[in-house]
Amino acid sequence: MGSFPLPDDLVRAQQEWHATYRALAVPRPRGAIELRRLLHLSAPVEWHPFRSTPDGGSPAARVELRRLAGGDRRSDAA
């Protein structure tokens, strides 16, 4: 892929979002802190200015962002 110039801050926010989501999935969650952090990170990821551009609003850009942020575990297995 790599056809979308994704902003670094958006990729970092998505990476943090995935890390926080995974922390919530452990059998013994550490508490509500991760859930609050996940909600806090959702806004900058979803409402980033890049998302309102023609490239940023495309499904391919969302897939590329997930891949770059490490949220697409299937690409790791390949």
Side-chain angles (χ1 to χ4, degrees), residues 7-69:
D8 291 337
D9 62 330
L10 177 59
V11 173
R12 279 191 304 274
Q14 186 72 52
Q15 288 170 332
E16 290 180 44
W17 190 95
H18 284 294
T20 304
Y21 187 85
R22 285 190 296 272
L24 280 169
V26 296
R28 293 174 283 140
R30 292 178 289 205
I33 293 171
E34 287 84 2
L35 183 56
R36 276 183 264 154
R37 180 145 176 78
L38 188 66
L39 291 171
H40 177 76
L41 289 167
S42 293
V45 169
E46 188 61 32
W47 299 106
H48 192 280
F50 178 72
R51 298 276 196 168
S52 65
T53 66
D55 284 343
S58 72
R62 290 192 298 272
V63 169
E64 179 68 2
L65 175 61
R66 193 175 326 118
R67 187 190 68 77
L68 285 175

